[in-house]
Amino acid sequence: VQLQASGGGLVQAGGSLRLSCKASGSIFSINAMSWYQQAPGKQRELVAAITGGGSTYYLDSVKGRFTISRDSAKNTVYLQMNSLKPEDTGVYYCAAKLRSVYEALSSDYWGQGTLVTVSS
């Protein structure tokens, strides 16, 4: 199983980016998918998550600016990031709690991260 994240880049404050993360491989089912931010010098932090049923979670600091969505048919999760601020800068990692065809229970899988830089 692999998670491939893309969509990061350099943007000015107030701009927008859309991150994508596709899960591929021998997947039996996906329970939830999420995005984490690791800002320079800080620990990785959960930014947004979405369950299979469509329930969402957002970190308070991104509410109203970020939107997480999911295309279950494509095993892909998106993060639409609007009104970006310099403090949104960091490496964004996607994660999925999923069950592969070789497992009896779900496990956590991580993507490689994509860098988002917001200039002031």
Side-chain angles (χ1 to χ4, degrees):
V1 174
Q2 288 187 328
L3 272 64
Q4 182 69 41
S6 61
L10 173 63
V11 64
Q12 288 188 332
S16 298
L17 284 174
R18 188 191 193 211
L19 307 183
S20 300
C21 176
K22 180 174 178 59
S24 61
S26 302
I27 298 169
F28 180 80
S29 61
I30 299 179
N31 297 336
M33 301 185 80
S34 53
W35 289 97
Y36 288 74
Q37 177 201 17
Q38 187 158 22
K42 295 187 177 181
Q43 291 190 333
R44 199 172 297 186
E45 181 176 39
L46 177 62
V47 172
I50 186 166
T51 68
S55 297
T56 57
Y57 161 85
Y58 294 98
L59 186 67
D60 283 347
S61 61
V62 307
K63 285 181 180 177
R65 301 189 298 121
F66 291 9
T67 302
I68 190 169
S69 61
R70 177 175 170 176
D71 185 334
S72 296
K74 296 181 179 180
N75 289 337
T76 299
V77 65
Y78 305 96
L79 186 67
Q80 179 66 43
M81 309 165 70
N82 298 329
S83 302
L84 282 161
K85 303 176 180 180
E87 52 263 42
D88 295 321
T89 293
V91 178
Y92 284 72
Y93 296 89
C94 66
K97 182 174 288 294
L98 63 84
R99 178 186 165 191
S100 77
V101 298
Y102 306 110
E103 298 172 308
L105 299 174
S106 296
S107 300
D108 292 328
Y109 290 82
W110 291 86
Q112 86 286 4
T114 184
L115 178 62
V116 171
T117 303
V118 184
S119 63
S120 57

